[in-house]
Amino acid sequence: MSLKYLPEHVQPLLLALNLARKEAGHLRYSQTTLFALPIDLAWVQSLGDRPELAEKVEAFVSRFGRLQDHLGEKLLPRMAALVGENSKTLLDTLATAERLDLLSSADAFIAARRLRNAMVHEYMHDAQIFLDSLLAAQQACELFFQVIENVQAETVRLGLAQKT
């Protein structure tokens, strides 16, 4: 069989990839501007009195969660469908993404999901947990950006898109 992908899944994948790149650009902006600041425990504890900083944090957390959701619910499942994989759960999707070398670690992706939950729920409760989660999320962004680059490279390899 010479078929490398299922043609009916090309357009949904390319649309998801385009949106992922846009969302990644917004997340990268939030990441760059937020982490240019000297973030430590005192900084986190002061967020309640500094709405302009809290707004930066909220933008980062929101964009982080939105991109992660998009990757796990749209981009990676559509990539799996393109190559004929039927992923029914997030874990199936992540396992397929690992096997296709689109994702370096399903465990790291799941850990990033926990970070998002911690950043949302610990924001006003435990400053140390929030700080630790925020700093770890900064690193997890690179995992997300790499997934998008890997999917883009695979679309180029398959002749579905041009290199950007």
Coordinates of all heavy atoms in Angstrom, one line a residue, residues 57-116:
V57 N -0.3 37.4 34.6 CA -0.3 36.0 35.0 C -1.5 35.3 34.4 O -1.5 34.2 33.9 CB -0.3 35.9 36.5 CG1 -0.5 34.5 37.0 CG2 1.1 36.4 37.1
E58 N -2.7 35.9 34.6 CA -3.9 35.3 34.1 C -3.9 35.1 32.6 O -4.4 34.1 32.1 CB -5.1 36.2 34.5 CG -5.4 36.1 36.0 CD -6.5 37.0 36.5 OE1 -7.4 37.4 35.6 OE2 -6.5 37.4 37.6
A59 N -3.3 36.0 31.8 CA -3.2 35.8 30.4 C -2.3 34.6 30.1 O -2.6 33.8 29.2 CB -2.6 37.1 29.7
F60 N -1.2 34.5 30.8 CA -0.3 33.4 30.6 C -1.0 32.1 30.9 O -1.0 31.1 30.1 CB 1.0 33.5 31.4 CG 1.9 32.3 31.4 CD1 2.7 32.1 30.3 CD2 1.9 31.4 32.4 CE1 3.5 30.9 30.2 CE2 2.7 30.3 32.4 CZ 3.4 30.0 31.3
V61 N -1.6 32.0 32.1 CA -2.3 30.8 32.5 C -3.4 30.4 31.5 O -3.5 29.2 31.1 CB -2.8 30.9 33.9 CG1 -3.7 29.7 34.3 CG2 -1.6 31.0 34.9
S62 N -4.2 31.4 31.1 CA -5.2 31.1 30.2 C -4.7 30.6 28.8 O -5.2 29.6 28.3 CB -6.1 32.4 30.0 OG -7.0 32.2 29.0
R63 N -3.7 31.2 28.3 CA -3.1 30.8 27.0 C -2.4 29.5 27.1 O -2.5 28.7 26.2 CB -2.2 31.9 26.5 CG -2.9 33.2 26.1 CD -2.0 34.3 25.8 NE -2.8 35.4 25.3 CZ -2.4 36.6 25.0 NH1 -1.1 36.9 25.2 NH2 -3.2 37.6 24.6
F64 N -1.8 29.2 28.2 CA -1.2 27.9 28.5 C -2.2 26.8 28.4 O -2.1 25.8 27.7 CB -0.5 28.0 29.9 CG 0.2 26.7 30.2 CD1 1.5 26.5 29.9 CD2 -0.4 25.7 31.0 CE1 2.2 25.4 30.3 CE2 0.3 24.6 31.4 CZ 1.6 24.4 31.0
G65 N -3.3 27.0 29.2 CA -4.4 26.0 29.2 C -5.1 25.9 27.8 O -5.4 24.7 27.4
R66 N -5.3 27.0 27.2 CA -6.0 26.9 25.9 C -5.1 26.2 24.8 O -5.6 25.3 24.1 CB -6.3 28.3 25.4 CG -7.3 28.4 24.3 CD -7.9 29.7 24.0 NE -7.0 30.8 24.0 CZ -7.0 31.8 25.0 NH1 -7.9 31.7 25.9 NH2 -6.1 32.8 25.0
L67 N -3.8 26.4 24.8 CA -3.0 25.7 23.8 C -2.9 24.3 24.2 O -3.0 23.4 23.3 CB -1.6 26.4 23.8 CG -0.6 25.7 22.8 CD1 -1.2 25.7 21.4 CD2 0.7 26.4 22.8
Q68 N -2.7 24.0 25.5 CA -2.7 22.6 25.8 C -3.9 21.8 25.5 O -3.9 20.7 24.9 CB -2.4 22.4 27.3 CG -2.3 21.0 27.7 CD -2.1 20.8 29.2 OE1 -2.9 21.3 30.0 NE2 -1.1 20.0 29.6
D69 N -5.1 22.4 25.7 CA -6.3 21.8 25.3 C -6.4 21.6 23.8 O -6.8 20.6 23.3 CB -7.5 22.7 25.7 CG -7.8 22.6 27.2 OD1 -7.3 21.7 27.9 OD2 -8.5 23.5 27.7
H70 N -6.0 22.6 23.1 CA -6.0 22.5 21.6 C -5.1 21.4 21.1 O -5.5 20.6 20.2 CB -5.7 23.8 21.0 CG -5.7 23.8 19.5 ND1 -6.9 23.8 18.8 CD2 -4.8 23.8 18.5 CE1 -6.7 23.7 17.5 NE2 -5.4 23.7 17.3
L71 N -3.9 21.3 21.7 CA -3.0 20.2 21.2 C -3.6 18.8 21.5 O -3.6 17.9 20.7 CB -1.7 20.4 21.9 CG -0.9 21.6 21.6 CD1 0.4 21.6 22.4 CD2 -0.6 21.7 20.1
G72 N -4.1 18.7 22.8 CA -4.6 17.4 23.2 C -6.0 17.0 22.6 O -6.3 15.8 22.4
E73 N -6.8 18.0 22.3 CA -8.2 17.7 21.9 C -8.4 17.9 20.4 O -9.3 17.3 19.8 CB -9.2 18.6 22.6 CG -9.2 18.3 24.1 CD -10.1 19.4 24.8 OE1 -10.8 20.2 24.2 OE2 -10.0 19.4 26.1
K74 N -7.5 18.6 19.7 CA -7.7 18.9 18.3 C -6.4 18.5 17.4 O -6.5 17.6 16.6 CB -7.9 20.4 18.0 CG -9.2 20.9 18.7 CD -10.4 20.4 18.1 CE -11.6 21.2 18.7 NZ -12.7 20.3 19.1
L75 N -5.3 19.1 17.7 CA -4.2 18.9 16.8 C -3.7 17.5 16.8 O -3.6 16.8 15.7 CB -3.0 19.9 17.1 CG -1.8 19.8 16.2 CD1 -2.2 20.2 14.8 CD2 -0.7 20.7 16.7
L76 N -3.4 16.9 18.0 CA -2.8 15.6 18.0 C -3.8 14.5 17.6 O -3.5 13.6 16.8 CB -2.2 15.3 19.4 CG -0.9 16.1 19.7 CD1 -0.5 15.8 21.1 CD2 0.2 15.8 18.7
P77 N -5.1 14.6 18.0 CA -6.1 13.6 17.4 C -6.2 13.7 15.9 O -6.4 12.7 15.3 CB -7.4 14.0 18.2 CG -6.9 14.7 19.4 CD -5.7 15.4 19.0
R78 N -6.2 14.9 15.4 CA -6.3 15.1 13.9 C -5.1 14.5 13.2 O -5.2 13.9 12.1 CB -6.6 16.5 13.6 CG -8.0 16.9 14.0 CD -8.4 18.3 13.7 NE -9.7 18.5 14.1 CZ -10.3 19.7 14.1 NH1 -9.6 20.8 13.7 NH2 -11.5 19.9 14.6
M79 N -3.9 14.7 13.8 CA -2.7 14.1 13.2 C -2.8 12.5 13.3 O -2.5 11.9 12.3 CB -1.5 14.6 14.0 CG -0.2 14.2 13.4 SD 0.1 15.0 11.8 CE 1.1 13.8 11.0
A80 N -3.3 12.0 14.4 CA -3.5 10.6 14.5 C -4.5 10.1 13.5 O -4.2 9.0 12.8 CB -4.0 10.2 15.9
A81 N -5.6 10.8 13.3 CA -6.6 10.4 12.3 C -6.0 10.4 10.9 O -6.3 9.6 10.0 CB -7.8 11.3 12.4
L82 N -5.2 11.4 10.6 CA -4.5 11.5 9.3 C -3.8 10.2 8.9 O -3.8 9.8 7.8 CB -3.6 12.7 9.3 CG -2.9 12.9 8.0 CD1 -3.8 13.7 7.0 CD2 -1.6 13.7 8.2
V83 N -3.1 9.6 9.9 CA -2.3 8.4 9.6 C -3.1 7.2 10.0 O -2.5 6.1 10.1 CB -0.9 8.5 10.4 CG1 -0.1 9.7 9.8 CG2 -1.1 8.6 11.9
G84 N -4.4 7.3 10.1 CA -5.2 6.1 10.3 C -5.3 5.6 11.7 O -5.8 4.4 11.9
E85 N -4.9 6.3 12.7 CA -5.0 5.9 14.1 C -6.4 6.4 14.7 O -6.8 7.5 14.4 CB -3.9 6.5 14.9 CG -2.5 6.0 14.6 CD -2.3 4.6 15.0 OE1 -2.9 4.1 16.0 OE2 -1.4 3.9 14.4
N86 N -7.0 5.5 15.4 CA -8.3 5.9 16.0 C -8.1 6.0 17.5 O -8.2 5.1 18.3 CB -9.3 4.8 15.7 CG -10.7 5.2 16.2 OD1 -11.0 6.3 16.6 ND2 -11.6 4.2 16.3
S87 N -7.8 7.3 17.9 CA -7.5 7.6 19.3 C -8.9 7.9 20.0 O -9.5 8.9 19.7 CB -6.5 8.7 19.5 OG -5.3 8.3 18.9
K88 N -9.2 7.1 21.0 CA -10.5 7.4 21.7 C -10.3 8.2 22.9 O -11.2 8.9 23.4 CB -11.1 6.0 22.0 CG -11.6 5.3 20.8 CD -12.3 4.0 21.3 CE -13.1 3.3 20.2 NZ -12.5 2.8 19.1
T89 N -9.1 8.2 23.5 CA -8.9 8.9 24.8 C -7.7 9.8 24.6 O -6.9 9.6 23.7 CB -8.7 8.0 26.0 OG1 -7.4 7.3 25.7 CG2 -9.8 7.0 26.1
L90 N -7.5 10.7 25.5 CA -6.3 11.5 25.5 C -5.0 10.6 25.6 O -4.0 10.9 25.0 CB -6.3 12.5 26.7 CG -5.1 13.4 26.8 CD1 -4.8 14.3 25.6 CD2 -5.2 14.3 28.0
L91 N -5.1 9.6 26.5 CA -3.9 8.7 26.6 C -3.6 8.0 25.3 O -2.4 7.9 25.0 CB -4.1 7.8 27.8 CG -4.2 8.4 29.2 CD1 -4.5 7.3 30.2 CD2 -3.0 9.2 29.5
D92 N -4.6 7.6 24.6 CA -4.4 7.0 23.3 C -3.7 8.0 22.4 O -2.8 7.6 21.7 CB -5.7 6.5 22.6 CG -6.4 5.3 23.3 OD1 -5.7 4.6 24.0 OD2 -7.6 5.2 23.1
T93 N -4.2 9.2 22.4 CA -3.7 10.2 21.5 C -2.2 10.5 21.8 O -1.4 10.6 20.9 CB -4.5 11.5 21.6 OG1 -5.9 11.2 21.2 CG2 -4.0 12.6 20.8
L94 N -1.9 10.6 23.1 CA -0.6 10.9 23.5 C 0.4 9.8 23.2 O 1.5 10.0 22.8 CB -0.5 11.3 25.0 CG -1.3 12.5 25.4 CD1 -1.2 12.8 26.9 CD2 -0.8 13.8 24.6
A95 N -0.1 8.5 23.4 CA 0.7 7.4 23.0 C 1.0 7.4 21.5 O 2.2 7.1 21.1 CB 0.0 6.1 23.5
T96 N 0.0 7.7 20.7 CA 0.2 7.7 19.3 C 1.2 8.9 18.9 O 2.1 8.7 18.1 CB -1.1 8.0 18.6 OG1 -2.0 6.9 18.8 CG2 -0.9 8.1 17.1
A97 N 1.1 10.0 19.6 CA 2.0 11.1 19.3 C 3.4 10.8 19.7 O 4.3 11.2 18.9 CB 1.5 12.4 20.0
E98 N 3.6 10.1 20.7 CA 4.9 9.6 21.1 C 5.5 8.7 20.0 O 6.6 8.8 19.6 CB 4.9 8.9 22.5 CG 5.2 9.7 23.6 CD 5.3 8.9 24.9 OE1 4.8 7.8 25.0 OE2 5.9 9.4 25.8
R99 N 4.7 7.7 19.6 CA 5.1 6.7 18.7 C 5.5 7.4 17.3 O 6.4 7.0 16.6 CB 4.0 5.7 18.5 CG 4.5 4.5 17.7 CD 3.6 3.3 17.7 NE 2.1 3.4 17.8 CZ 1.3 4.1 16.9 NH1 1.8 4.7 16.0 NH2 0.0 4.1 17.1
L100 N 4.8 8.4 17.0 CA 5.0 9.2 15.7 C 6.1 10.2 15.9 O 6.4 11.0 14.9 CB 3.7 9.8 15.2 CG 2.6 8.9 14.8 CD1 1.3 9.8 14.5 CD2 3.0 8.1 13.6
D101 N 6.7 10.3 17.1 CA 7.8 11.2 17.4 C 7.3 12.7 17.3 O 8.1 13.6 16.9 CB 9.0 11.0 16.5 CG 9.8 9.8 16.9 OD1 9.8 9.4 18.1 OD2 10.4 9.1 16.0
L102 N 6.1 12.9 17.6 CA 5.5 14.3 17.6 C 5.6 14.9 19.0 O 5.6 16.1 19.2 CB 4.1 14.3 17.1 CG 3.8 13.7 15.8 CD1 2.3 13.6 15.5 CD2 4.5 14.6 14.7
L103 N 5.6 14.0 20.0 CA 5.7 14.3 21.4 C 6.8 13.6 22.1 O 6.8 12.4 21.9 CB 4.3 14.0 22.0 CG 4.1 14.2 23.5 CD1 4.2 15.7 23.9 CD2 2.8 13.6 24.0
S104 N 7.6 14.3 22.8 CA 8.8 13.6 23.4 C 8.4 12.8 24.6 O 9.0 11.8 24.9 CB 9.8 14.7 23.8 OG 9.3 15.6 24.7
S105 N 7.3 13.2 25.3 CA 6.9 12.5 26.5 C 5.4 12.8 26.9 O 5.0 13.9 27.2 CB 7.7 13.0 27.7 OG 7.2 12.5 28.9
A106 N 4.6 11.7 26.8 CA 3.2 11.8 27.2 C 3.2 12.1 28.7 O 2.3 12.9 29.1 CB 2.5 10.4 26.9
D107 N 4.1 11.6 29.5 CA 4.1 11.9 30.9 C 4.3 13.4 31.2 O 3.7 14.0 32.0 CB 5.2 11.1 31.6 CG 4.9 9.6 31.7 OD1 3.7 9.2 31.6 OD2 5.9 8.9 31.8
A108 N 5.2 14.0 30.4 CA 5.4 15.5 30.5 C 4.2 16.2 30.1 O 3.8 17.3 30.8 CB 6.6 15.9 29.7
F109 N 3.5 15.8 29.1 CA 2.2 16.5 28.7 C 1.2 16.4 29.8 O 0.5 17.4 30.1 CB 1.7 15.8 27.4 CG 0.6 16.7 26.7 CD1 1.0 17.6 25.8 CD2 -0.7 16.5 27.1 CE1 0.0 18.4 25.2 CE2 -1.7 17.3 26.4 CZ -1.3 18.3 25.5
I110 N 1.0 15.2 30.4 CA 0.1 15.0 31.5 C 0.5 15.9 32.7 O -0.3 16.5 33.4 CB 0.0 13.5 31.9 CG1 -0.6 12.7 30.8 CG2 -0.8 13.3 33.2 CD1 -2.0 13.1 30.4
A111 N 1.8 15.9 33.0 CA 2.3 16.8 34.1 C 2.0 18.2 33.8 O 1.6 19.0 34.8 CB 3.8 16.6 34.3
A112 N 2.0 18.7 32.6 CA 1.7 20.0 32.3 C 0.2 20.3 32.5 O -0.2 21.4 32.9 CB 2.1 20.3 30.8
R113 N -0.6 19.3 32.3 CA -2.0 19.4 32.6 C -2.3 19.6 34.1 O -3.1 20.5 34.5 CB -2.8 18.1 32.1 CG -4.3 18.2 32.2 CD -4.9 16.9 31.7 NE -6.1 17.1 31.1 CZ -6.4 17.7 29.9 NH1 -5.4 18.1 29.2 NH2 -7.6 17.8 29.4
R114 N -1.5 18.9 34.9 CA -1.6 19.1 36.4 C -1.1 20.6 36.7 O -1.7 21.2 37.7 CB -0.7 18.1 37.1 CG -1.4 16.7 37.1 CD -0.6 15.7 38.0 NE -0.9 14.4 37.5 CZ 0.0 13.6 36.9 NH1 1.2 14.1 36.6 NH2 -0.4 12.4 36.5
L115 N -0.1 21.1 36.0 CA 0.4 22.4 36.3 C -0.7 23.4 36.0 O -0.9 24.3 36.8 CB 1.6 22.8 35.4 CG 2.9 22.1 35.7 CD1 3.9 22.4 34.6 CD2 3.4 22.5 37.0
R116 N -1.4 23.2 34.9 CA -2.5 24.2 34.6 C -3.5 24.2 35.8 O -4.0 25.2 36.2 CB -3.2 23.8 33.3 CG -4.3 24.7 33.0 CD -5.2 24.3 32.0 NE -5.7 23.0 32.1 CZ -6.3 22.3 31.2 NH1 -6.5 22.8 30.0 NH2 -6.7 21.1 31.4

